[in-house]
Amino acid sequence: MRNSEDVLNGLTTQAIDESYRFERIIRNLYNEDFYLRAIGKLYANSGAGTVGSDGTALSGFSNKDIERIIEKIKDETYEPTPLRRVYIPKKNGKKRPLGMPNFKDKLVQEVIRQVLEAIYEPIFKNSSHGFRPKRSCHTAIREIDITFTGVKWFIEGDIKGCFDNISHHILLKLLEKRIKDEKFLRLINKFLKCGYMEDWVYHKTYSGTPQGGIMSPILANIYLHELDKYMENLRDGFEKGTYKRKTNKEYQRITSKLHRRRVKYKNNPNEETLKEIKTLEQELLKIPYYDPEDVSFKRLRYVRYADDFLIGIIGSKEDAERIKRKVGKFLKTELDLDLSEEKTLVTHISDRAKFLGFEITKRVPKIEKASYSHGSMRKANGNLEFYMPHDYAINWLKNARAIVFKKDGSWKPVARYSLTNLSDLELLLTVNSEIRGIYNYFKIAKNIHRQMSTLIYALEYSCLGTIARKRKSSVGKIKESMRIGKHWGTVYETKKGKKTMLFFHDPIKRSKLTPNTDVNVDKVFNLMKFRGRTELEKRLSACECEICGSFDIDGEFHVHHVNKLKDLKKKSKKSYWMEEMIARNRKTLIVCKDCHWKIHTGSL
């Protein structure tokens, strides 16, 4: 049995050559080491305890299940279970469907995902940032900040129902370009067509990759990689001109005039000439050095995150409209996808384009004195500025039901009824994490302080109102009774003594976009460089029961899993296995078949 690290590194090395076709990939799914590593990755996720449509989850999974999965994949009798369909709310009030696979299907999908990532990650373009290692929304925003300097028009791209409308036929054809293994592709096709269960009714799937599936993100990136390649070719055909625009004739004219006045003043100093020189210098600062209407200079910039993309155009509005039509035509004819007309907009740089929750517009150039020996100069001319939407905080608070609006249009904080059952500590942890999550995402925005001040104020008095409602008191009395120094919070007991949890009071500071030195897809990095075996992998492969101590290299050992340890700690009467989990501070136990049966029957 080969080490999965070595296999993935070998695949990554071969993947450098884009013309190379991989054969017999299915053999990697016969390797138990891949499944052990997949378990180590999946069990730590918050959704590890989520059950599929067949009612199974991580708890109860055994090492023998891996052997049974491998045998079924070998003889092609493995059939994925239909997904359990659930819905989560979207910002626009609609609901997004999610497909929840059972744990066995998650495991197989995770192995497939690792293999596909090793094959495709080295050839993905720098413009792609969604669902990729060491990349995020912030790396996409940083690329825009660096490469979109000087753009005049934005194309805000949005693909209509992208994940739901991915063609299975086209996707498999794209996979065949790199993978020459019919058995492996048939297995992927089974997952694509496994269907879903909703209200105990089975529904077939004819297109799309299920949102919530483990391998759906990598499959979507493989599909949209064709768009990334097309945009690269489109850019090469669109761009023209040298590395810089022509010099503005008006700028040259004033520069020449200014030079003559300076020579005149040097030969004959007088107040009138000096005043004229200063007027010309101020006028020069208002005129761009390069010709903004230079039709011989055109540039195209492109960044994509999942199914959202942003195109920057240095050119005319007609150029932007033409590029938009070309992209729409390519998506329709080559990928059978449609651009969302209501969301795909052509926006001027002076307005605010929207991308990944940010509003993007041009930065107002600053005029600063360069030094004592030189005059004033412009800085940040043509650069971009990123803003947190002005209505984001209010809309978020409204959706969280933390505020209510009055008849005059103003608002006030109110208690959040959905949080009244939480303890003071749990309530503070919840509200603080909400504030910190929003702040960490938008902290690069120019207006972060103003927007966060509104959010923090509303959530503070909403939190106090929630506590006051529980205690049937007033907000003022609650804040005074919970005051700790200059702030307020709660004191709670731990094994190491008393600790304090305060309401969020960190200073709100704007952070600059800093280069991410870890992101480098020009060179093929070792995908498993920092990846060692997790503790769970070692425990499961040890073939030893952690309750009775029995050891059997060929025995069947199960994973017993609980979602939250604190639920066990709350129970007044604890079984031996509960005390073991609490003492070890683990949500999992590796137990033999007999001990696992006794746990669930309450006879241990």
Side-chain angles (χ1 to χ4, degrees):
M1 184 173 66
R2 287 186 65 192
N3 186 287
S4 57
E5 285 185 31
D6 297 334
V7 175
L8 290 175
N9 290 334
L11 292 174
T12 305
T13 304
Q14 292 173 317
I16 301 173
D17 182 5
E18 291 196 40
S19 62
Y20 184 83
R21 286 189 77 189
F22 293 84
E23 299 181 4
R24 302 176 69 187
I25 294 297
I26 195 68
R27 292 180 303 169
N28 298 310
L29 275 76
Y30 306 156
N31 189 338
E32 289 187 25
D33 193 56
F34 271 98
Y35 295 89
L36 291 174
R37 291 195 177 278
I39 291 172
K41 178 175 176 62
L42 292 175
Y43 100 97
N45 295 340
S46 58
T50 306
V51 297
S53 59
D54 61 351
T56 61
L58 169 61
S59 187
F61 187 82
S62 74
N63 55 342
K64 293 298 179 182
D65 285 327
I66 295 176
E67 296 176 9
R68 287 189 278 269
I69 288 171
I70 291 173
E71 287 303 316
K72 287 184 177 181
I73 292 176
K74 281 183 178 179
D75 58 23
E76 294 195 79
T77 59
Y78 184 89
E79 293 293 338
T81 306
L83 305 174
R84 181 168 65 89
R85 174 64 65 92
V86 296
Y87 292 89
I88 60 171
K90 295 169 68 175
K91 291 181 181 178
N92 58 9
K94 298 180 181 179
K95 291 187 176 181
R96 175 181 284 113
L98 289 183
M100 311 297 290
N102 63 26
F103 186 75
K104 291 179 184 178
D105 290 342
K106 281 184 183 178
L107 198 62
V108 178
Q109 285 193 48
E110 172 59 22
V111 177
I112 294 174
R113 187 202 63 79
Q114 289 180 22
V115 173
L116 290 176
E117 188 177 273
I119 293 173
Y120 283 95
E121 183 60 32
I123 68 167
F124 282 156
K125 302 297 181 182
N126 284 341
S127 55
S128 171
H129 291 263
F131 314 125
R132 293 183 61 189
K134 299 185 180 181
R135 286 176 176 261
S136 65
C137 294
H138 282 185
T139 62
I141 294 296
R142 171 160 177 77
E143 185 172 343
I144 292 171
D145 186 48
I146 294 173
T147 63
F148 278 52
T149 301
V151 300
K152 297 300 178 186
W153 297 93
F154 290 117
I155 303 173
E156 306 170 43
D158 184 271
I159 302 171
K160 187 187 297 182
C162 178
F163 292 98
D164 296 329
N165 294 313
I166 287 177
S167 168
H168 295 168
H169 175 72
I170 295 175
L171 176 59
L172 291 170
K173 286 291 183 183
L174 294 174
L175 289 169
E176 284 178 2
K177 292 180 180 180
R178 293 277 285 173
I179 300 170
K180 190 179 179 181
D181 189 333
E182 292 295 329
K183 199 171 182 179
F184 181 73
L185 296 178
R186 282 197 296 270
L187 180 61
I188 291 178
N189 192 39
K190 284 183 178 180
F191 278 104
L192 292 174
K193 297 189 179 298
C194 67
Y196 62 92
M197 297 290 292
E198 186 174 6
D199 296 330
W200 299 104
V201 177
Y202 173 73
H203 299 269
K204 291 183 179 181
T205 49
Y206 299 99
S207 65
T209 57
Q211 295 186 57
I214 302 296
M215 64 181 186
S216 294
I218 185 72
L219 291 176
N221 268 340
I222 292 169
Y223 201 81
L224 293 176
H225 177 59
E226 299 302 306
L227 174 61
D228 300 339
K229 292 194 297 182
Y230 174 75
M231 291 304 302
E232 197 172 79
N233 295 331
L234 188 61
R235 181 197 65 197
D236 294 339
F238 174 80
E239 293 187 349
K240 63 180 182 179
T242 58
Y243 68 94
K244 61 180 181 181
R245 297 183 181 92
K246 293 178 181 178
T247 308
N248 191 346
K249 290 183 179 180
E250 181 65 13
Y251 191 93
Q252 289 178 325
R253 187 186 67 80
I254 295 178
T255 302
S256 299
K257 188 176 181 181
L258 180 61
H259 175 69
R260 291 194 299 269
R261 294 299 181 273
R262 284 172 177 168
V263 172
K264 181 180 178 181
Y265 182 77
K266 185 177 180 181
N267 296 330
N268 181 25
N270 60 80
E271 287 295 327
E272 185 179 349
T273 306
L274 180 62
K275 186 178 180 180
E276 192 174 356
I277 289 172
K278 290 182 178 180
T279 302
L280 288 171
E281 285 177 342
Q282 291 299 317
E283 189 177 347
L284 200 63
L285 289 172
K286 298 175 183 178
I287 300 173
Y289 176 78
Y290 294 113
D291 183 4
E293 305 300 328
D294 183 7
V295 294
S296 64
F297 183 88
K298 294 184 179 182
R299 290 293 184 270
L300 185 150
R301 300 290 180 259
Y302 164 77
V303 167
R304 179 178 64 83
Y305 187 94
D307 59 339
D308 293 328
F309 60 88
L310 187 70
I311 301 172
I313 300 291
I314 296 178
S316 65
K317 185 177 182 180
E318 289 72 23
D319 291 329
E321 293 285 0
R322 188 172 67 256
I323 293 295
K324 175 185 171 182
R325 289 194 296 271
K326 284 186 175 182
V327 173
K329 183 179 179 181
F330 171 81
L331 287 170
K332 186 63 180 177
T333 57
E334 299 296 328
L335 299 178
D336 197 21
L337 295 172
D338 294 306
L339 278 179
S340 174
E341 287 299 326
E342 58 188 34
K343 295 181 181 179
T344 305
L345 308 173
V346 175
T347 308
H348 191 260
I349 184 68
S350 59
D351 298 322
R352 294 193 176 189
K354 294 182 179 179
F355 186 65
L356 299 180
F358 287 90
E359 291 182 344
I360 309 171
T361 187
K362 67 176 180 180
R363 183 180 299 176
V364 178
K366 296 179 180 179
I367 299 175
E368 297 179 358
K369 193 171 182 61
S371 65
Y372 290 107
S373 58
H374 295 81
S376 299
M377 64 178 292
R378 284 173 294 190
K379 290 187 176 181
N381 194 27
N383 289 6
L384 300 179
E385 201 81 76
F386 301 91
Y387 288 85
M388 183 178 178
H390 71 280
D391 57 350
Y392 181 89
I394 297 299
N395 287 338
W396 191 95
L397 291 165
K398 180 182 176 182
N399 293 332
R401 297 184 178 179
I403 60 172
V404 294
F405 288 90
K406 301 177 184 178
K407 291 181 179 180
D408 60 359
S410 61
W411 54 269
K412 66 175 182 178
V414 292
R416 296 166 71 180
Y417 298 106
S418 59
L419 304 182
T420 51
N421 291 330
L422 299 180
S423 66
D424 293 351
L425 176 61
E426 290 172 329
L427 181 59
L428 282 169
L429 283 170
T430 299
V431 175
N432 284 350
S433 65
E434 289 172 340
I435 296 172
R436 197 167 285 112
I438 296 170
Y439 170 60
N440 286 337
Y441 186 78
F442 285 106
K443 62 184 177 182
I444 60 176
K446 186 177 181 180
N447 60 339
I448 184 65
H449 189 274
R450 180 183 297 177
Q451 292 295 312
M452 288 303 300
S453 296
T454 301
L455 187 82
I456 293 169
Y457 165 78
L459 283 179
E460 178 178 9
Y461 283 91
S462 172
C463 185
L464 287 167
T466 305
I467 298 172
R469 177 177 175 79
K470 288 196 300 179
R471 299 184 185 177
K472 297 182 179 180
S473 183
S474 67
V475 169
K477 290 179 180 178
I478 291 297
K479 188 171 185 179
E480 191 59 37
S481 65
M482 299 181 72
R483 185 171 296 282
I484 301 173
K486 295 181 180 180
H487 309 286
W488 65 273
T490 185
V491 178
Y492 61 99
E493 292 283 347
T494 67
K495 291 181 180 179
K496 296 181 180 180
K498 291 184 177 181
K499 287 191 175 182
T500 303
M501 172 60 65
L502 298 175
F503 179 79
F504 184 91
H505 61 278
D506 298 345
I508 301 298
K509 295 180 180 179
R510 183 188 178 196
S511 298
K512 292 183 179 180
L513 280 164
T514 55
N516 188 347
T517 54
D518 291 333
V519 178
N520 184 3
V521 294
D522 293 329
K523 297 180 180 178
V524 178
F525 54 84
N526 183 348
L527 291 175
M528 307 296 285
K529 183 176 180 181
F530 303 106
R531 178 74 164 84
R533 279 190 180 277
T534 66
E535 190 180 25
L536 180 64
E537 294 170 41
K538 295 176 182 177
R539 288 157 54 207
L540 186 58
S541 57
C543 298
E544 182 178 356
C545 179
E546 294 177 346
I547 291 182
C548 68
S550 61
F551 173 82
D552 185 358
I553 195 68
D554 297 319
E556 182 173 347
F557 292 89
H558 294 201
V559 179
H560 181 68
H561 176 270
V562 296
N563 287 330
K564 296 178 181 179
L565 274 177
K566 66 179 182 180
D567 293 338
L568 298 182
K569 295 175 182 178
K570 289 179 181 178
K571 295 188 178 183
S572 55
K573 186 178 180 181
K574 297 181 178 64
S575 302
Y576 172 69
W577 66 270
M578 295 182 189
E579 293 176 348
E580 279 290 304
M581 295 184 90
I582 293 169
R584 294 166 184 250
N585 196 29
R586 290 176 183 155
K587 295 194 295 182
T588 57
L589 278 177
I590 306 301
V591 294
C592 63
K593 190 175 181 179
D594 291 339
C595 287
H596 199 218
W597 180 82
K598 290 177 181 177
I599 287 174
H600 283 282
T601 57
S603 58
L604 185 66

